[in-house]
Amino acid sequence: MTRQITQAGIAVFILVMALYTSTASAHGKVAMEDDSCMRRIGENMIHLSTYQPQVNESGHYCTDIPKAGSTVLVIDLVDPALRDMPIGVKVIKGSNASEGETITNTRPALYQDGVISMSSALDQGKYLVQVTAEGVPPLHYEYHMRVEMINYADVFRASIGPVVGLLLTTILGYKLIRSRRFRDWLASRRAQKD
């Protein structure tokens, strides 16, 4: 009886851990091709990282920024060919370039070291980051950022594993309590105490 309970408990634990770890993924632990902060047009790739040293000195983010305030945007020109093209960056408050307010607009320039770094004060809300490489043909990359906003899809993905685990544990506990063997075992324990 105890062996069956232990086996069932281990099975539930393994299932919960498998579900939980499959839904949890961090920004820095994925392959370059699967990174949501990477943008590719043909062979040309760029990568966006955002930092908020006043919130977390070692933390870096992509498009979900935890707090409003001073934010450092770093764009890595992964493809060396982009380092020979003039690149301009525009940060727009809102989700649409034609309707939003331009917060930062850098003139196109060459970045031989492959890194574009800028700082902007971002309020709560949605932002659009446009990176334009003036090549032939011109390359246009976009990032949609969310500042100090709850991403309900991430909350749902993070909570589904524990919820399923709790549900399975509840079902297992109910089946155990309703089983004849458990009731007989409980009755024998009570008889031993008397």
Side-chain angles (χ1 to χ4, degrees), residues 25-124:
S25 62
H27 165 74
K29 298 182 180 180
V30 294
M32 189 180 302
E33 293 80 21
D34 298 329
D35 190 348
S36 64
C37 298
M38 188 72 66
R39 296 292 185 266
R40 174 190 292 251
I41 296 177
E43 294 298 316
N44 301 306
M45 294 189 302
I46 66 169
H47 184 272
L48 172 70
S49 295
T50 54
Y51 301 90
Q52 288 189 316
Q54 73 278 9
V55 174
N56 184 349
E57 287 185 19
S58 61
H60 69 280
Y61 314 99
C62 181
T63 55
D64 286 322
I65 300 169
K67 297 282 183 191
S70 180
T71 305
V72 178
L73 295 121
V74 178
I75 299 165
D76 294 311
L77 306 174
V78 178
D79 183 37
L82 290 172
R83 299 172 187 187
D84 296 326
M85 294 182 205
I87 308 247
V89 180
K90 186 186 281 190
V91 179
I92 300 164
K93 183 167 182 154
S95 336
N96 191 337
S98 61
E99 298 172 3
E101 171 192 353
T102 301
I103 303 298
T104 304
N105 189 7
T106 62
R107 295 175 65 186
L110 293 176
Y111 296 92
Q112 295 294 325
D113 61 353
V115 178
I116 303 169
S117 180
M118 60 178 36
S119 181
S120 290
L122 303 179
D123 296 328
Q124 180 181 8

Side-chain angles (χ1 to χ4, degrees), residues 20 25 31 42 51-52 55 89 100 154 159 161 163 168 170 178 184 194:
Y20 185 71
S25 62
Y51 301 90
Q52 288 189 316
V55 174
V89 180
D154 288 343
S159 64
V163 168
L168 290 174
T170 304
R178 300 290 298 166
D184 292 344
D194 294 336

Side-chain angles (χ1 to χ4, degrees), residues 140-167:
H140 185 74
Y141 304 92
E142 285 188 351
Y143 290 94
H144 292 273
M145 295 191 322
R146 299 163 45 93
V147 178
E148 202 173 330
M149 296 178 72
I150 296 173
N151 188 342
Y152 291 105
D154 288 343
V155 171
F156 176 75
R157 278 189 295 256
S159 64
I160 193 73
V163 168
V164 169
L166 180 62
L167 181 62

